[in-house]
Amino acid sequence: MYQVIDNVRVWGEPLESAVSQAITCSKHGNVVQTLLMADHHKGYSQPVGGVVVYDGQVSPSGVGYDIACGNKAVRTNLKYEDVQHNISGIMDEIVKNISFGLGRNNNERVDHELFDDPDWDVYKQIGIHEHDTLKALARKQLGTVGSGNHFVDIFVEEKTGDIWVANHFGSRGFGHKTASGFLNLASGRKFSDKAPGESMDQPPTLIDLNNELGDMYFRAMTLAGRYAYAGRDYVMTQVLNILGAVSTFEVHNHHNFAWKEVHNGREYIVVRKGATPSAPGQLGFIGGSMADISVIVKGKDSQENKDAYYSTVHGAGRIMSRTEAAGKMNWKTRRRRGGKITPQQMKEAIEAYGVELRGAGTDESPFVYKKLRTVLNAHSETIEILHELRPIGVCMAGANEFDPYKD
């Protein structure tokens, strides 16, 4: 059950910094309801795990810089015994064939019908240079995974022995530059201007949907969503090819996005940042840490789920910042100082859980996340757990990979 703090509906243990941000969001614009899922923590302008329901408005700062970040999860036709003795080799092939971090580590050109989408005309309205530059970047990065908490994982469902694959990333540099550009336009700057330093706690940037800028942003965001889907599809196909497997069941959705949805008989804009849509019967993938379960869930037809505007958690939720965990990075020397988690602690935790790990730094170690079971319990009246998955292979960008487009 949730509690209400200053009109914000809060699931799980309230974190003061995130609650404060949510209250700020609730006081700006045509807000119908503000909510915090149980994995909430502080974000830029709108907290991660935060949901804001608007009447006729959209918030590019609420959707955030990683537009359409999300997950695709697939059950394969393989069983655990098919992969258990070769998981190390499989993870080596994933590292070799899939591009993590900022750029593509192979010369493969990926084409897609998405690049003929009429919504690219939005960028032509802004300027031919902006259109051409962004489209070129999008082509170059399609199917790259990025860094931060973005991953490709292999799981076993221990009840059945089924092997699953999941990935997690969004619209890459194209989405990041789209977000930056529209935040600039909404503030009276040019699309490609360098934005001034902005506070994490600043009020949300809002655009009315019934004006030209609002329509342009919504079309651009939707295009970034299709781009993210295309990228996750592409990477999933690569992994299935490495495994020599086929998909028998799929779950695919965003958790950083704005949706037009009907609630209580009216259409609203629901901005979810780090929150998974969970309408009755809707499927979702929720990831834990690299030494914890992940789950496939289904939205319940319950009053509490309705009260949540059909939203749930997107992951376990951080309890430690990246800098706190890994230390402050000096990019000249490429060394970190002052982190709470050592590589040895992380290595021991991963080995104890039975995970074959490639890449990742201590800022993504199991110690920086809540236990997934805890946040799921807080939403037991809104979602049903269908499949429980244990990671056996985790692949992420390298520990000190610099990627400005990661979250």
Side-chain angles (χ1 to χ4, degrees):
M1 187 58 189
Y2 60 90
Q3 57 184 300
V4 179
I5 303 174
D6 279 7
N7 295 319
V8 177
R9 294 175 184 169
V10 182
W11 278 260
E13 192 67 35
L15 285 180
E16 191 178 337
S17 57
V19 172
S20 173
Q21 282 190 314
I23 291 169
T24 299
C25 289
S26 73
K27 293 177 178 174
H28 290 82
N30 305 330
V31 176
V32 178
Q33 185 62 57
T34 307
L35 314 100
L36 284 174
M37 305 297 101
D39 59 338
H40 63 262
H41 56 91
K42 190 170 183 174
Y44 160 64
S45 183
Q46 180 172 319
V48 179
V51 180
V52 186
V53 183
Y54 291 101
D55 187 358
Q57 291 179 310
V58 67
S59 170
S61 58
V63 173
Y65 288 100
D66 195 0
I67 297 173
C69 187
N71 298 95
K72 181 170 187 178
V74 162
R75 183 178 63 205
T76 75
N77 60 328
L78 299 180
K79 295 291 185 179
Y80 182 56
E81 55 265 27
D82 297 325
V83 304
Q84 68 180 115
H85 300 300
N86 190 33
I87 191 67
S88 178
I90 290 167
M91 299 313 292
D92 289 342
E93 284 298 305
I94 288 173
V95 171
K96 191 166 81 176
N97 288 282
I98 294 172
S99 301
F100 293 82
L102 180 57
R104 185 171 295 288
N105 58 19
N106 54 49
N107 295 318
E108 182 182 15
R109 179 180 166 85
V110 180
D111 210 351
H112 197 278
E113 61 188 15
L114 177 94
F115 295 111
D116 299 321
D117 194 301
D119 280 340
W120 285 102
D121 289 349
V122 167
Y123 298 95
K124 285 183 180 172
Q125 286 177 254
I126 294 164
I128 293 300
H129 173 73
E130 286 81 0
H131 169 271
D132 292 351
T133 304
L134 272 176
K135 203 167 189 179
L137 177 66
R139 282 185 187 278
K140 182 180 169 188
Q141 289 195 322
L142 182 68
T144 64
V145 176
S147 67
N149 60 354
H150 297 153
F151 62 71
V152 173
D153 287 3
I154 311 287
F155 297 91
V156 61
E157 183 176 2
E158 291 185 307
K159 273 188 177 179
T160 61
D162 289 328
I163 292 296
W164 292 68
V165 180
N167 59 42
H168 171 222
F169 60 97
S171 50
R172 308 295 290 114
F174 164 54
H176 192 283
K177 289 183 181 297
T178 294
S180 301
F182 277 95
L183 285 167
N184 274 336
L185 292 175
S187 301
R189 299 185 291 267
K190 291 180 181 175
F191 185 88
S192 299
D193 279 355
K194 183 174 173 56
E198 293 168 321
S199 163
M200 291 278 281
D201 293 312
Q202 72 178 55
T205 300
L206 297 166
I207 308 176
D208 289 336
L209 269 188
N210 62 3
N211 66 25
E212 186 183 26
L213 185 62
D215 178 66
M216 287 171 68
Y217 173 76
F218 208 87
R219 287 172 62 200
M221 178 203 71
T222 303
L223 180 64
R226 290 197 285 272
Y227 178 81
Y229 268 119
R232 293 191 292 261
D233 285 342
Y234 174 79
V235 168
M236 187 59 71
T237 299
Q238 283 184 297
V239 180
L240 291 174
N241 288 340
I242 289 167
L243 289 169
V246 296
S247 162
T248 62
F249 177 85
E250 299 188 358
V251 180
H252 198 176
N253 45 28
H254 307 315
H255 47 235
N256 284 7
F257 209 63
W259 288 263
K260 290 179 180 176
E261 296 177 359
V262 174
H263 294 272
N264 303 315
R266 287 197 60 183
E267 184 178 85
Y268 296 116
I269 306 301
V270 182
V271 177
R272 296 184 178 95
K273 176 182 278 184
T276 306
S278 65
Q282 186 171 8
L283 299 171
F285 170 90
I286 300 173
S289 76
M290 60 178 70
D292 196 2
I293 59 165
S294 293
V295 292
I296 307 295
V297 299
K298 181 171 75 171
K300 288 185 175 180
D301 188 1
S302 67
Q303 183 59 47
E304 190 171 324
N305 196 18
K306 189 178 180 183
D307 290 349
Y309 283 79
Y310 300 135
S311 309
T312 193
V313 295
H314 83 305
R318 295 187 76 93
I319 53 173
M320 198 183 294
S321 73
R322 295 186 182 283
T323 304
E324 197 181 350
K328 194 164 179 59
M329 184 69 169
N330 182 325
W331 288 105
K332 285 186 179 175
T333 62
R334 297 190 71 80
R335 296 218 172 144
R336 291 186 180 273
R337 295 174 64 92
K340 286 185 176 177
I341 311 299
T342 68
Q344 185 61 29
Q345 283 175 305
M346 178 172 165
K347 181 172 182 285
E348 288 171 3
I350 297 308
E351 286 176 355
Y353 203 70
V355 170
E356 190 76 29
L357 177 65
R358 297 291 180 275
T362 53
D363 58 342
E364 281 299 321
S365 67
F367 305 100
V368 308
Y369 287 99
K370 300 172 188 174
K371 281 293 181 186
L372 185 62
R373 184 74 65 193
T374 306
V375 299
L376 293 172
N377 287 345
H379 288 267
S380 61
E381 294 306 310
T382 67
I383 52 170
E384 176 188 352
I385 298 170
L386 300 180
H387 303 278
E388 192 173 300
L389 315 176
R390 178 175 69 83
I392 54 173
V394 171
C395 193
M396 307 176 88
N400 294 328
E401 179 86 37
F402 175 68
D403 180 3
Y405 313 130
K406 62 188 176 188
D407 311 298

